Amino acid sequence: MSLLEQPSRPVSSFARLRRPGGPGGGRPGGRPRPVRELLLIAALFTVYKLGRLLANDRVSEAFGNAHRIWDVERALDLPSELHLQHGLLHSQFLVHAANCYYAYVHFPAMALFLLWIYLRRPAHYRWIRRVLVALTAGALALHLLVPLAPPRMLPATGLIDTAARFGPSVYGSPQHDTMANQYAAMPSLHIGWAAIIAIGLVVTCRTRWRWLWLLHPVLTVAVVVSTANHYWMDGIVVLALLAVAVLLLRAPAPVLPAAGPPRAAEPETS
């Protein structure tokens, strides 16, 4: 059997993610219009913020769920968040850096990532946006179904609120905070969004150093847990939701170049 007669190899799942728009990175129809995308993202963000506030008045339920999550983690023999925070508290610089990372990296990192994907990898932009919307919608549903007080509010954990103690802090008093629902710890979108950024950059970048982007979600996990803003379970649940979203919302299959007609055999010469 000649090489031309052999069946083509199936494209692997990772190759499908890396080349959804063909050899040139293009996509039929091109990138979405920027004004439409900005309005869509702003509308989705507004719906998310308003949806989170619906759980603000379920304080007793949030604390009851917090005690149950803490007990489940101990039953599963997960590492204690307290030990991780004690390691952080050895250095005032590390505490301040972790608080700054929690306060100032989450939204700007996602905004810059979406802008970069939109401008440089338009073939992947729609897929990334769909995964982001699906994950955020799933997280919002859990915020409403399972209100959860973060570990910094639960005296039984022994954890302290590092942001309130050392600064900077993005939260005010839960009773007077009208901008954020502080009883929406489950799941952690800090971790979920960091994982989306890492997946998107690993899939779309070509350098061998692209795997270092995985350090972003790893560092985010360490930050949100050590600062007592999230439990381990908040990260486990959001990564499970993200895995489901990625499996269901597959990237477009790559457009492989069509094989040309076989060349006619040249006549033999004596």
Side-chain angles (χ1 to χ4, degrees):
M1 179 184 293
S2 69
L3 293 177
L4 291 175
E5 293 172 340
Q6 292 181 0
S8 59
R9 296 181 179 178
V11 180
S12 67
S13 299
F14 188 73
R16 182 177 290 109
L17 292 177
R18 286 184 61 79
R19 298 184 293 137
R27 186 186 190 280
R31 61 172 61 89
R33 294 181 179 180
V35 175
R36 174 183 174 275
E37 284 301 301
L38 287 175
L39 291 175
L40 176 61
I41 292 174
L44 291 172
F45 177 73
T46 301
V47 170
Y48 171 71
K49 294 295 287 185
L50 292 176
R52 280 172 57 108
L53 295 177
L54 294 177
N56 257 353
D57 297 330
R58 301 161 64 184
V59 177
S60 60
E61 187 178 352
F63 276 93
N65 289 332
H67 284 285
R68 281 186 282 274
I69 288 293
W70 186 256
D71 291 340
V72 167
E73 288 190 348
R74 307 290 76 78
L76 294 176
D77 201 23
L78 293 180
S80 174
E81 291 89 341
L82 188 60
H83 293 162
L84 188 61
Q85 186 177 85
H86 282 171
L88 181 70
L89 293 176
H90 286 338
S91 168
Q92 186 172 352
F93 169 79
L94 287 180
V95 174
H96 188 74
N99 291 336
C100 287
Y101 197 92
Y102 181 85
Y104 304 132
V105 172
H106 180 51
F107 281 108
M110 178 55 72
L112 290 174
F113 167 68
L114 288 177
L115 180 63
W116 185 85
I117 287 287
Y118 179 84
L119 295 175
R120 302 298 299 273
R121 300 292 187 270
H124 287 82
Y125 174 79
R126 296 176 192 266
W127 171 65
I128 290 291
R129 188 236 288 149
R130 292 184 185 120
V131 171
L132 176 62
V133 170
L135 178 68
T136 306
L140 176 58
L142 276 178
H143 291 161
L144 298 177
L145 293 172
V146 189
L148 182 66
R152 68 177 185 272
M153 296 182 183
L154 198 65
T157 66
L159 294 159
I160 65 170
D161 186 344
T162 61
R165 181 76 63 86
F166 302 101
S169 177
V170 295
Y171 300 120
S173 169
Q175 293 79 14
H176 304 96
D177 192 346
T178 59
M179 297 300 295
N181 174 16
Q182 298 191 44
Y183 303 110
M186 171 69 75
S188 169
L189 278 181
H190 273 74
I191 297 174
W193 284 15
I196 289 178
I197 292 172
I199 291 172
L201 291 174
V202 167
V203 165
T204 58
C205 292
R206 299 179 180 87
T207 172
R208 69 176 65 180
W209 301 104
R210 65 185 184 275
W211 297 101
L212 291 177
W213 285 112
L214 295 175
L215 292 176
H216 177 42
V218 171
L219 181 58
T220 301
V221 171
V223 165
V224 301
V225 172
S226 63
T227 56
N229 283 291
H230 285 284
Y231 307 90
W232 294 115
M233 290 297 298
D234 300 337
I236 293 171
V237 171
V238 82
L239 292 178
L241 288 176
L242 178 57
V244 172
V246 170
L247 289 175
L248 294 180
L249 300 172
R250 295 183 179 180
V255 179
L256 298 178
R263 297 176 55 185
E266 297 182 359
E268 296 183 2
T269 57
S270 58

